[in-house]
Amino acid sequence: MTLFIQPVPILQDNYAWFLRDGQSGACGIVDPAEEGPIVAAITAHGGRLDRIFLTHHHADHIAAADALRARYGAQVIGAAADARRLPRLDIAVGDGDHVMLGAAEAIVIDTPGHTRGHVSYFFPATPALFCGDTLFSMGCGRLFEGTAREMFDSLRRIAALPDETLICCGHEYTLSNARFALHVDPANAAVAERMREVEALRAQGRPTVPVTLAEEKRTNPFLRAPDVATLAKLRQEKDVFR
């Protein structure tokens, strides 16, 4: 049975992700930073929370983790390399580790660039990737701590996953990212088509993610960057783009 996935809008433009393993009924949440909406989502799906997955240490991804652990008895999972900046970890993980949500297996992938301790969780059976602030739809995270080389390598690792992988990222940034993608790649018909789709979704108040990796390969200028220098230049341009 597949993994049930639901984005939970929190804060201004963040997404936490509610997960339920169809075989065991085990439930998880990725990057919880606001308790109320997440509790509402958990309640709507039976009131169970078994595991809390953290991608990186920023407050808008971890702020409600301790409260949810206390409420539900869930285990907190995060990067061993960044444990000092995360809530207390029940399960500390590193690149290549396997963690379970009931019968659903996730592979941990180191994805530094946005922060040095950033990890992503790949569920191959679905397939789905919970990538925090490394890869956004049509964009990538700012280089707050990492380097362009680290971000490039992280994106290459993501690009190697199956094309049908669902990209489940940490923010609703797609509309602004699409505008930048059109600016730097104006002849790309796939970008223009995705822009129209994104505008329609946002006009209806609907999320633009998850999105397939195949779609990102067609439309994301950062994922399409052929080398580190190109990615660095794009990131510098995006940082000041209005």
Side-chain angles (χ1 to χ4, degrees):
M1 299 180 71
T2 59
L3 188 69
F4 171 82
I5 299 169
Q6 177 183 309
V8 183
I10 57 173
L11 304 176
Q12 182 177 345
D13 52 29
N14 281 70
Y15 288 122
W17 293 87
F18 176 82
L19 317 177
R20 184 177 62 216
D21 169 42
Q23 180 174 329
S24 68
C27 296
I29 197 80
V30 181
D31 285 353
E34 186 179 9
E35 191 175 1
I38 292 168
V39 168
I42 293 168
T43 301
H45 294 287
R48 175 177 178 178
L49 184 68
D50 299 274
R51 294 201 154 172
I52 298 167
F53 298 86
L54 306 178
T55 62
H56 65 293
H57 75 275
H58 286 161
D60 64 329
H61 292 258
I62 67 172
D66 281 329
L68 292 170
R69 169 167 44 197
R71 180 186 285 259
Y72 296 103
Q75 293 179 308
V76 176
I77 302 169
D82 217 12
R84 65 183 176 83
R85 301 193 293 184
L86 295 170
R88 177 181 56 81
L89 297 178
D90 300 294
I91 302 174
V93 296
D95 188 53
D97 285 349
H98 293 228
V99 291
M100 305 299 294
L101 178 65
E105 182 182 59
I107 302 168
V108 179
I109 305 174
D110 276 349
T111 51
H114 180 65
T115 66
R116 293 201 177 277
H118 200 297
V119 296
S120 299
Y121 301 92
F122 176 57
F123 287 80
T126 301
L129 179 75
F130 299 88
C131 51
D133 286 2
T134 296
L135 178 68
F136 299 122
S137 184
M138 306 184 82
C140 76
R142 288 178 179 263
L143 304 179
F144 284 132
E145 298 175 3
T147 66
R149 162 58 69 182
E150 287 174 324
M151 180 62 79
F152 181 81
D153 290 346
S154 293
L155 295 183
R156 290 303 94 201
R157 296 191 72 182
I158 291 172
L161 298 175
D163 279 353
E164 63 270 24
T165 300
L166 295 175
I167 301 300
C168 305
C169 57
H171 288 270
E172 183 55 71
Y173 287 164
T174 316
L175 186 56
S176 63
N177 288 342
R179 292 179 182 130
F180 179 72
L182 274 177
H183 170 71
V184 297
D185 198 4
N188 187 332
V191 171
E193 181 180 352
R194 175 69 170 148
M195 175 66 144
R196 290 190 291 270
E197 177 186 82
V198 167
E199 287 177 327
L201 287 169
R202 296 311 294 156
Q204 299 169 37
R206 295 169 58 192
T208 62
V209 288
V211 60
T212 64
L213 179 59
E215 180 70 16
E216 289 304 300
K217 287 180 176 180
R218 289 190 289 266
T219 61
N220 189 321
F222 297 93
L223 203 60
R224 292 163 58 81
D227 51 49
V228 175
T230 302
L231 185 141
K233 181 174 183 291
L234 286 168
R235 188 62 260 176
Q236 289 171 353
E237 290 181 21
K238 180 63 166 63
D239 287 348
V240 297
F241 180 75
R242 296 291 182 269

